[in-house]
Amino acid sequence: MGGAFLAAAVLARLGGRIGLPTIPLFILAGILLGPNTPGIVLVADPHDLEMLSLLGLVLLLFYLGLEFHVDDLKTGGRRMALAGGAYLTLNVGAGLGFGFALGWGTSEALVLAGVLGISSSAIVTKVLVDTGRLGNPETKPILGIIVVEDIFLALYLAALQPVLSGADSLASAAPAAGKAFGFLLLLAAAARWGTRVVGRLIATRDNELLVISFLGAAVLVAGVSEWFGVADAIGAFMVGLMLGGTSSGPRIRKLVHPLRDAFGAIFFFAFGLSIDPGDLPSVVWPVLIAVALTLLMNVLAGLVAARIYGFGPGPAANIATALLARGEFALILATMAAAAGLDERLAPFIAGYVLLLAVLGPLAAGRSGVLARVLPGGGAARAAAPEAPGAADAADAAAVSRPDRSAAAPGRR
């Protein structure tokens, strides 16, 4: 574990000198020092880091919930649903069509629809933190799309499991889907009406007790969520949503930073451990086509979301690039496909596709201005940058939010 931390840190420091984001470098460290590449093997079995990796994912989504306010759901619920629905329609639809075009089978096409359709909440969260955009106005639709995706994810997994296991009717999948949806409604009700009670329960002046309290709550609810068929990270997100609205919220945001950064690095490192580079050449062309298709669908989805929220080309580019990466959900689907005995090409395809987008996503997000210039209206927005729709609001919001965040996260560049 110590070697994993240090290897990730060394590669990230070297990459930082040439402007590379940390996420793909953490993943690269896992690939180079894992069991699937020659040389030094720090972790022979990726499952050895499984619990720490899951903790990293839980903390990343818990922090995302802290930054997302219930008021955003109340005031922007309709637009959030429209933007999230458009994103899923474009990306899941394109993934399903791509899966059928490959001709690997119906079950395989359903898996690929989820792989291509759902962005990585963990990587999106890290991208927003690293680029300092948490205070930008377009971050609300980005987080809203993630929430819609996560709700869809819970229902999709519940419906897909019986299909992969050979269930003969939709009725057999209904109980699991109903249980998951009911628990989601319970968490949403607690976040909406239980904030005051939760705030009283967790309030304390002692930082040590506060850390233990919010960490225990996030991990416990994540575990219970998984038992109900809801992704564990969603449960952590909902706990963050509840605690972010309490009087202890600002202190929790500050205290969770080092935990989030440390265990988030282990999550991406462990992701790299699961990738076998030797399997990638056999699926290189399908991977490249899928990546190009995802880029196109994300740009279209970014334009649609920006239109819904009244943003210009700059925020549209930020939305499109921030949501580009694929990650943990694709790996879950790869595991399910392997257990169901589906086409053996699925595993290397998913690994190559996720790895490429995990690298391209953060890089594209850091250079979204290039995309903004070629989007409709990009030239006019560049010529009149001070008056561009949303630009002044973004600058003002960033100016207000960055001092506290930079103080809490001194390692961010």
Side-chain angles (χ1 to χ4, degrees), residues 16-404:
R17 295 180 180 275
I18 56 176
L20 291 177
T22 59
I23 295 169
L25 295 169
F26 292 155
I27 296 172
L28 180 61
I31 294 174
L32 295 177
L33 299 173
N36 299 313
T37 51
I40 299 173
V41 177
L42 279 181
V43 185
D45 186 357
H47 293 292
D48 290 343
L49 290 181
E50 186 173 10
M51 183 59 70
L52 295 174
S53 172
L54 289 173
L55 183 58
L57 177 61
V58 164
L59 288 171
L60 283 166
L61 270 292
F62 173 72
Y63 180 79
L64 185 63
L66 289 172
E67 294 291 341
F68 197 88
H69 301 291
V70 178
D71 289 341
D72 296 332
L73 290 172
K74 290 189 296 183
T75 59
R78 181 176 175 273
R79 291 191 297 178
M80 182 183 76
L82 287 174
Y87 188 90
L88 287 172
T89 300
L90 288 168
N91 285 274
V92 175
L96 185 62
F98 175 77
F100 281 121
L102 285 178
W104 292 355
T106 301
S107 295
E108 287 79 359
L110 291 172
V111 170
L112 288 172
V115 171
L116 271 67
I118 306 294
S119 54
S120 167
S121 299
I123 297 180
V124 170
T125 304
K126 190 72 165 56
V127 165
L128 292 174
V129 172
D130 287 351
T131 55
R133 293 177 185 164
L134 285 173
N136 287 17
E138 71 271 11
T139 298
K140 286 186 179 180
I142 291 173
L143 299 183
I145 289 171
I146 288 177
V147 170
V148 173
E149 279 187 326
D150 287 344
I151 294 172
F152 172 80
L153 182 156
L155 300 176
Y156 186 77
L157 281 179
L160 185 62
Q161 183 62 54
V163 173
L164 296 184
S165 60
D168 53 5
S169 70
L170 187 61
S172 60
K179 183 173 73 170
F181 190 65
F183 186 69
L184 277 175
L185 290 178
L186 179 63
L187 289 177
R192 173 65 180 88
W193 291 290
T195 302
R196 183 174 298 178
V197 175
V198 172
R200 289 198 189 116
L201 290 174
I202 203 167
T204 175
R205 295 183 179 180
D206 190 314
N207 283 344
E208 179 185 11
L209 293 178
L210 185 59
V211 169
I212 294 171
S213 299
F214 74 68
L215 186 60
V219 176
L220 177 63
V221 175
V224 174
S225 298
E226 193 171 32
W227 187 81
F228 274 96
V230 177
D232 48 10
I234 313 257
F237 173 87
M238 298 304 291
V239 174
L241 193 64
M242 285 183 246
L243 298 184
T246 67
S247 59
S248 302
R251 287 172 59 211
I252 294 174
R253 290 188 193 96
K254 182 178 180 180
L255 292 169
V256 78
H257 270 104
L259 294 169
R260 180 207 67 194
D261 291 341
F263 289 100
I266 290 295
F267 170 79
F268 296 112
F269 181 89
F271 173 42
L273 293 175
S274 66
I275 296 176
D276 186 352
D279 292 336
L280 301 181
S282 62
V283 292
V284 62
W285 285 112
V287 166
L288 292 177
I289 294 171
V291 168
L293 182 63
T294 302
L295 286 168
L296 176 61
M297 292 300 105
N298 264 54
V299 170
L300 292 176
L303 288 170
V304 171
R307 181 70 177 269
I308 291 171
Y309 280 84
F311 294 146
N318 288 344
I319 294 171
T321 55
L323 293 166
L324 185 59
R326 302 296 188 261
E328 61 278 1
F329 179 55
L331 296 181
I332 293 171
L333 286 175
T335 303
M336 291 173 61
L342 300 187
D343 196 301
E344 61 183 14
R345 291 170 291 185
L346 268 179
F349 169 85
I350 293 173
Y353 172 76
V354 170
L355 177 61
L356 196 51
L357 283 181
V359 174
L360 287 179
L363 289 174
R367 294 160 178 80
S368 60
V370 177
L371 174 62
R373 288 195 288 271
V374 300
L375 291 179
R382 187 173 69 254
E387 290 78 31
D393 292 339
D396 292 341
V400 170
S401 62
R402 277 178 190 151
D404 290 338

